Amino acid sequence: MITGVVIVLFNPDVKHVAKLLDAFSSSEWDLVLVDNSPVRNQSLASSHVKYIHCSENVGIAKAQNIGLKALFDCGLEYAFLLDQDSFFSPVIARELLSQFLVVEKSCPIAAIGPSIHCQFSDRVEEGVLQKGKQVSHSLKEVKQIIASGMLISHRAFKKVGGKESALFIDGVDHEWCWRARAKGMAIYQSLSACMPHRQGDDRIKVCGVTFKQGAPIRLYYQFRNVLILARRPYVPLYWKLRHVCAIPLRYIVNRYFFAQGKERGCFMRAGLKDGTLHRTGSLDER
């Protein structure tokens, strides 16, 4: 059975992406690259890869939708979503696909993803408050998973709908999972398939508390999308309380303890303003 793989790009490390493509070069995989980079990466376009270039950055959500639709329109029933820096392998993919096929025989499953081995803490991540419900020795049901390594079926994509392009980036993967659960579908995380992953550029400790450090512009989307998603009834209450209540602390830390504090402050204030006014889409559009 041929399975699709969508990799979303934005100014990628071409060597790393090339290694991913080589790993999935056999005929059992159908590869799609959706590139949000301003300049076309011609070296990544080849005979065994469908390369789609979006010269204007359409955001991660719309890029994922473009890639998934390209695969599902060709008749494929299953597709993985990967980030450009994912450390993903066919071994992990086959294990996830095998588990998905077993679960969907008895349960309306929307997506499954691997356990995440954080490269900063060097340990497998678990939820702080929501650790999920273990349903077997190799599987647990959870409220959400990250997009990198996520396996989605065509049936689930049609029922749940595509990723929400209005969010652009940040919160996109979680919102889709919560929407799927609201429609009666389940989200699973594998305990037998584990993927190394790093979220953010760095980790910084302030007064004993660890904070993720990313690009300043990401703070705009993070702060804005928290306020947008917190209004929705299908978003878990614990997530709303945790992220809304953390806004003042995150503002102080990013503004006064991280490099580029003034720039970070501008993005955070813009995000709070637009989140309050329910403005969506790309910041560049304004």
Side-chain angles (χ1 to χ4, degrees):
M1 177 175 60
I2 299 177
T3 307
V5 179
V6 177
I7 308 174
V8 176
L9 309 178
F10 181 74
N11 297 329
D13 178 342
V14 174
K15 288 184 179 179
H16 179 78
V17 175
K19 287 180 181 178
L20 264 179
L21 298 179
D22 286 343
F24 286 91
S25 61
S26 73
S27 59
E28 66 182 299
W29 311 107
D30 199 337
L31 301 170
V32 175
L33 297 178
V34 185
D35 194 353
N36 274 328
S37 307
V39 179
R40 181 182 175 89
N41 286 286
Q42 190 62 41
S43 63
L44 295 175
S46 66
S47 59
H48 75 287
V49 176
K50 182 177 180 62
Y51 179 90
I52 302 171
H53 182 229
C54 305
S55 56
E56 292 184 9
N57 186 354
V58 298
I60 193 166
K62 188 170 183 179
Q64 289 174 347
N65 289 338
I66 290 171
L68 290 170
K69 190 173 186 301
L71 291 169
F72 294 148
D73 284 352
C74 290
L76 271 65
E77 289 299 321
Y78 303 93
F80 286 96
L81 291 173
L82 299 181
D83 294 338
Q84 63 187 23
D85 56 355
S86 295
F87 288 90
F88 199 69
S89 70
V91 173
I92 298 174
R94 293 188 191 102
E95 174 69 5
L96 292 172
L97 180 60
S98 175
Q99 291 177 312
F100 195 110
L101 294 175
V102 170
V103 172
E104 74 172 349
K105 292 177 182 178
S106 58
C107 169
I109 173 176
I112 189 172
S115 297
I116 303 300
H117 186 275
C118 177
Q119 294 181 299
F120 289 107
S121 63
D122 195 26
R123 60 183 176 83
V124 176
E125 288 187 339
E126 290 188 356
V128 178
L129 298 175
Q130 300 289 324
K131 299 182 183 298
K133 176 186 176 183
Q134 189 164 342
V135 296
S136 72
H137 71 283
S138 61
L139 207 61
K140 66 178 179 179
E141 185 177 353
V142 293
K143 284 187 168 62
Q144 69 271 327
I145 53 178
I146 64 172
S148 187
M150 178 187 285
L151 174 62
I152 297 175
S153 69
H154 188 193
R155 185 170 68 91
F157 188 73
K158 287 190 292 185
K159 182 172 181 178
V160 179
K163 302 298 184 78
E164 187 176 341
S165 58
L167 294 177
F168 197 76
I169 192 171
D170 286 302
V172 169
D173 43 1
H174 287 185
E175 186 280 330
W176 190 89
C177 291
W178 298 327
R179 188 165 16 114
R181 285 172 51 83
K183 293 178 180 287
M185 305 193 79
I187 307 294
Y188 289 90
Q189 187 172 49
S190 174
L191 300 174
S192 55
C194 189
M195 180 184 74
H197 186 66
R198 54 185 292 151
Q199 287 183 301
D201 300 326
D202 201 358
R203 293 290 188 275
I204 305 292
K205 273 197 172 184
V206 178
C207 299
V209 179
T210 301
F211 293 86
K212 296 175 185 177
Q213 184 183 51
I217 193 172
R218 290 290 293 272
L219 291 166
Y220 167 79
Y221 296 105
Q222 289 165 10
F223 276 59
R224 185 196 71 180
N225 290 352
V226 162
L227 295 185
I228 289 172
L229 292 173
R231 298 185 178 104
R232 301 184 181 179
Y234 60 86
V235 175
L237 179 60
Y238 82 90
W239 187 92
K240 296 178 183 180
L241 293 174
R242 181 183 177 196
H243 285 80
V244 172
C245 292
I247 285 175
L249 180 58
R250 289 191 65 204
Y251 182 91
I252 292 170
V253 169
N254 276 276
R255 175 64 181 85
Y256 298 105
F257 290 86
F258 284 0
Q260 300 170 286
K262 288 185 70 174
E263 185 180 6
R264 290 175 182 276
C266 289
F267 281 123
M268 288 185 288
R269 290 191 296 275
L272 291 172
K273 177 182 178 181
D274 285 356
T276 301
L277 297 175
H278 210 278
R279 291 172 177 164
T280 58
S282 168
L283 178 59
D284 291 340
E285 294 173 357
R286 289 184 294 280

